[in-house]
Amino acid sequence: MLYYLLYPLRTELSVLNVTQYITFRTAAASLTAFALTLVLGPWVIRRLRAMQIGQIVRDDGPATHQAKAGTPTMGGLLVLLAAVVPTVLWADLANVYVQVAVLSTAAFGAIGFVDDALKVGRASHRGLSPSRKLIAQATVATVVGVVLLRLTEGGLYSTEIIFPFFKQFTPDVGWLYLPFAVLVLVAASNAVNLTDGLDGLAISTFTVAAGAFTALTYVAGHAEIADFLLIARFPPAGELTIFCGSLVGAGLGFLWYNSYPADVFLGDVGALALGGALGTVALLIKQELLLPIVGAVFVVELLSVAIQVASFRLTGQRVFRMAPLHHHYELVGWSEPKIITRFLIMAVVFALFSLTTLKLR
């Protein structure tokens, strides 16, 4: 809204000419998101506590987590608000890429909201059944995939898949891109959700990944840089930089209250939405195969669960003391802050490495 209000006034007030630049609007959106989260955080926490929307701790989880019972959850609503509002204020809302990213994120958040609401209503850690949650996620992902195929018909998108480290290998998979997109979105959403098990772990590692995608979206929308790096360029992708910047600001603001010991938890409404946001942005800027590198921590967490389940079903033996992986390290004896810090370090390393792959091709 501010973009539409301020940009036309640049002829009257020259300083407003900066609103045409994506870099300025990204910084403004990020700061707006950060400020919103900090200001609204205490009120949201009080409201969640007053409504008795508290964390339900699993009986079979680490014993140290019992102290977390009752901590306000569903704080992801604050993150979504703080990310969407600045995007609405500073981005070009006529941009179809922005529309897809915001609506996809909101849809995954809605699934998480229902899941959290059922848990609170039942006073149980069981919300939506795994099958129903998966069907709901796949449905949203399918809609996003169909939209991308329609954009391809209009020349605004491509069903080519770009492989990191390879310049010329960009196979066009056509309609097969639909199931591929579904796989990316469902995996990304669940991976972030599985990582949300320690205070500040998911939001801190997510913020690092969102920061990497802020840079990637800017490059994808910049003609000269994209051509120099031989990256698929779609002019509308540039506006996604503002959305990613909003995610970074919202993530940093929420970390203020979610850091150890947490005053509020993300809940599925936040974790599923943020995972969906990363997956959607990766699809839109054609960096689907770079996503596992950017979000390597999430991938490792997801794989640890898959390995644990497969091993137990096939052999009756567990590979880890508990999955996801961060719980394994808890039971090994690592303190919660140490696990969070070390996972965050790895997130930064992999995010930086992902950016180097743009030139290493």
Side-chain angles (χ1 to χ4, degrees):
M1 293 180 183
L2 288 178
Y3 171 67
Y4 294 114
L5 176 64
L6 299 178
Y7 184 61
L9 297 177
R10 68 191 185 283
T11 56
E12 305 295 332
L13 191 60
S14 59
V15 69
L16 295 180
N17 195 51
V18 297
T19 58
Q20 70 176 302
Y21 299 113
I22 287 177
T23 49
F24 171 80
R25 287 186 285 128
T26 299
S30 185
L31 291 173
T32 302
F34 180 69
L36 275 175
T37 315
L38 282 187
V39 171
L40 295 178
W43 179 82
V44 170
I45 293 172
R46 287 196 302 270
R47 290 299 302 165
L48 291 173
R49 187 175 288 117
M51 297 172 67
Q52 298 184 339
I53 301 178
Q55 180 71 17
I56 308 296
V57 178
R58 298 174 61 98
D59 296 331
D60 57 351
T64 55
H65 284 219
Q66 295 305 315
K68 301 175 186 286
T71 301
T73 187
M74 297 182 71
L77 290 170
L78 174 61
V79 180
L80 289 178
L81 177 68
V84 171
V85 169
T87 301
V88 171
L89 290 176
W90 294 105
D92 179 3
L93 298 181
N95 185 291
V96 66
Y97 279 35
V98 172
Q99 295 171 6
V100 172
V102 170
L103 292 176
S104 174
T105 301
F108 279 103
I111 297 171
F113 180 85
V114 173
D115 192 35
D116 284 335
L118 289 174
K119 292 176 182 177
V120 172
R122 297 169 179 172
S124 167
H125 65 269
R126 300 185 184 279
L128 284 171
S129 66
S131 59
R132 289 184 177 180
K133 185 186 294 186
L134 189 61
I135 290 172
Q137 291 172 305
T139 300
V140 172
T142 299
V143 172
V144 173
V146 170
V147 171
L148 295 180
L149 291 180
R150 294 295 300 272
L151 290 177
T152 302
E153 295 174 1
L156 295 176
Y157 193 69
S158 170
T159 52
E160 291 183 343
I161 297 179
I162 298 174
F163 285 77
F165 308 109
F166 296 93
K167 293 181 179 179
Q168 307 299 331
F169 188 52
T170 56
D172 190 335
V173 296
W175 65 268
L176 289 176
Y177 192 80
L178 178 57
F180 175 71
V182 171
L183 176 63
V184 170
L185 286 174
V186 172
S189 182
N190 283 309
V192 174
N193 193 34
L194 289 171
T195 308
D196 185 30
L198 300 179
D199 298 5
L201 176 59
I203 195 64
S204 61
T205 49
F206 165 82
T207 302
V208 170
F213 272 109
T214 302
L216 291 169
T217 51
Y218 179 74
V219 168
H222 194 289
E224 294 181 2
I225 300 178
D227 289 342
F228 175 71
L229 296 176
L230 299 177
I231 296 173
R233 176 182 176 260
F234 300 98
E239 286 293 316
L240 282 175
T241 312
I242 297 160
F243 175 67
C244 290
S246 297
L247 292 173
V248 171
L252 288 174
F254 188 75
L255 183 58
W256 186 273
Y257 302 107
N258 186 232
S259 58
Y260 180 86
D263 297 316
V264 63
F265 296 138
L266 269 176
D268 281 12
V269 63
L272 290 181
L274 297 181
L278 286 182
T280 304
V281 171
L283 289 172
L284 287 169
I285 65 172
K286 304 305 302 172
Q287 296 296 343
E288 309 96 333
L289 298 185
L290 197 61
L291 177 60
I293 300 177
V294 176
V297 169
F298 305 130
V299 174
V300 170
E301 293 274 55
L302 180 64
L303 288 177
S304 70
V305 173
I307 292 171
Q308 186 86 324
V309 172
S311 175
F312 187 76
R313 289 183 176 177
L314 293 174
T315 68
Q317 301 296 319
R318 291 181 172 86
V319 176
F320 308 102
R321 293 194 178 186
M322 184 178 290
L325 188 61
H326 57 262
H327 289 323
H328 168 80
Y329 286 115
E330 278 189 287
L331 297 182
V332 167
W334 289 15
S335 67
E336 188 166 339
K338 177 176 286 190
I339 298 170
I340 297 166
T341 302
R342 288 182 172 175
F343 275 51
L344 179 58
I345 291 171
M346 295 308 300
V348 172
V349 169
F350 280 108
L352 292 175
F353 176 68
S354 70
L355 297 179
T356 66
T357 65
L358 298 180
K359 190 57 181 173
L360 299 177
R361 294 195 299 159

